[in-house]
Amino acid sequence: MSLLKIDRLTMRFGGLVAVDAVTLDIAPNEIVSLIGPNGAGKTTVFNAVTGVYEPTAGKIIFNGHETRRELTGKTALAFSLVGFITAVVAVILANLETVWEAAVTGNYTYRQPFPWTKALASAQETLTGHWLVPALSGLFVGVTGAWAVWERSRRAPEIAARAGIARTFQNIRLFNQMTVLDNVLLGMDTHLRTRFWDAALRLPLFWRERKHSTGKALETLRFVGLEHEAGQLAENLAYGHQRRLEIARALAMNPKIILLDEPAAGLNPAESKALMDLIQRIRQRGITVLLIEHDMQVVMNISDRVIVLDYGAKIAEGDPATVRANPAVIEAYLGKSDARA
Amino acid sequence: MSGWEVFLQQLIIGLSNGMIIALIALGYTMVYGIVELINFAHGDLFMLGSFLALTIVGLCTALPVFVVVLLLLTLTPLFSGGLNWLVDRLAYRHLRHSIRLAPLVSAIGVSFVFLNVGLLWGGVPMDVFGLGKAAAAPKDFPVLVSNDNLLGDATVQFTAKDALVFVVTIPLMIGLTWFVKRTRTGKAMRAVAQDQTAAELMGINVDRVVGQTFLIGGGLAGVASVVFALYNNTIYFQMGYRAGMDAFTAAVLGGIGSLPGAVLGGLCIGLARAFSDQYIATGWTNVIVFTILVLVLVFRPAGILGSKHREKV
């Protein structure tokens, strides 16, 4: 069974087709590289998978489900509440003139306390006739409106993250004004249960969870080799360390798959060698790795499989050696040779 | 009153008013920090809070004073915090991904709605709404906290009212700092303020965090409205404009987005007002306050404590 299945994903921005019917299948515990020339749509695929973009067409199935917000009883209750309020408003609007006359004008005396109960009674009296149609249509409009608003918010990055998709960014996006440790703790946030009162009153849960989460965060930092920088502000780290911190923060989310967007960009040869080692160790933890990378050394060395995108379409897929020999790939990277034409 | 006593007196007045301004400024700065929206309705939210406070006082005339004050300090922040949350939910949230100007215009609209609710509320015939029967007239707020000098026979006045301002606001500010620095929600707020998309991808529910920010900012405005009403003993439906203007200036002066900046800015404005009233002339006070603002913005555009790091790329 595949862990992540992208089925004919299409992303269109105005007239530009950034991703064109791309189908991918990623098995658990694989290391897959997504390569292609600049502007081939690789990062767009990442953005669609993590819920930053809503796909124009196509499906993204993660772990057997689409990564969308679940419809819970609470949400359904909220829909009915909105529907009920809209119905009441609709009934009032439909009878506005008569109700206003009976309830407000009829009871209003200058500078006297307004008799709310009497006004309510008068309003009810006048409402006896004409109410079923506006009530039903108001209910319908309210429920569908609330549902439509909710439907739009169903695919959110937050939902993908909670489902177990973690990612890093092409241009590093750390929480710069926070310490290294706090960055990693934020990655863990969804797994924490401490609430305001636990922290304010220092209840047992607060101590237990703080000890546990700090320990885990330090362990994750040790895993990427940043345990000595825990107290530093993220912005003061060296560039290579910031890249590692992004990975640590993503790992702290306890994901099933981690998407790395050009993790080797700007690293020197020694650092990218260490990165390759780190990616292997991430896989050994049972986490699937999908990466975008331009450094062919890295791609060819660690990938189980390589997928090539060009102009938003998939042009090749297979193990590193096959892909390297594929003429279509060479053409995409180097252009058509004039000699052969 | 000798020269230094006058100075000391104005210092106390300036600090008290400054603390109230700072509380309102915190609401501006928190909301700006997290969604980069200048919430123009914040001043009017503050005004509605004080009208609720007056209504509560009117309903609870039978209770002892300290119970009423406690009631005011719990119910009013709940009301204005909840109202601020609701406004975000209804008027700002859906506009978060549209152009920057859209929520701003929405905020101005909300401000007008609040203003007119205040006008209507002021017109409700109730015994406590003394001083002028017209809806727009200023209302008397009963003197619940005494005006007696705590310093005994000294010429410098430090009244129970001044003490109330400090006793309420200082712990609140310390608590807020602790909340933002140490708790999970506070950390999530800082994360969302620094990089919303990255925070979302960490599984943080951005809408909820923004809602909580509005709730807390509104709550602070609620406390400020109670303290203001108890301190000045008169409220009117247009006071949100003046208070909002001062608080907004304070937030910008201190560095918008920075919590200590808002407090510092509030104190600066409060002191500048008091000293200008005393040593120059009341008529010049606004000129001086806004000249300070212009000067700070020219020479330090990010404000006194604002950092350049906040710029988003």
Side-chain angles (χ1 to χ4, degrees), chain B residues 173-191:
Chain B
M173 286 166 186
I174 294 172
L176 185 72
T177 312
W178 169 82
F179 176 81
V180 170
K181 279 223 153 76
R182 293 267 175 267
T183 63
R184 257 182 77 201
T185 316
K187 283 181 187 175
M189 277 177 190
R190 279 156 65 213

Side-chain angles (χ1 to χ4, degrees), chain A residues 162 182-195 209 213 249 252-254, chain B residues 183-189 191 199 202-205 208-209:
Chain A
R162 279 162 197 252
D182 272 348
N183 266 276
V184 178
L185 283 171
L186 262 165
M188 269 180 218
D189 192 72
T190 49
H191 301 289
L192 300 182
R193 286 180 302 120
T194 315
R195 303 230 154 247
E209 196 164 87
S213 58
R249 187 179 65 175
M253 292 162 67
N254 200 12
Chain B
T183 63
R184 257 182 77 201
T185 316
K187 283 181 187 175
M189 277 177 190
M202 297 296 112
I204 291 168
N205 188 338
R208 180 184 298 164
V209 172

Side-chain angles (χ1 to χ4, degrees), chain B residues 9-62:
Chain B
Q9 186 62 67
Q10 291 302 335
L11 193 72
I12 293 170
I13 294 174
L15 285 177
S16 301
N17 280 314
M19 287 308 244
I20 297 172
I21 297 173
L23 271 192
I24 311 171
L26 281 170
Y28 273 106
T29 221
M30 284 178 82
V31 165
Y32 182 85
I34 204 155
V35 282
E36 298 193 0
L37 162 74
I38 294 164
N39 185 5
F40 279 112
H42 199 71
D44 299 294
L45 184 82
F46 161 80
M47 176 274 296
L48 285 187
S50 66
F51 271 86
L52 179 80
L54 185 54
T55 309
I56 294 173
V57 173
L59 294 174
C60 304
T61 35

Side-chain angles (χ1 to χ4, degrees), chain B residues 121-136:
Chain B
W121 202 335
V124 174
M126 269 181 67
D127 290 339
V128 281
F129 290 152
L131 206 140
K133 289 206 169 67

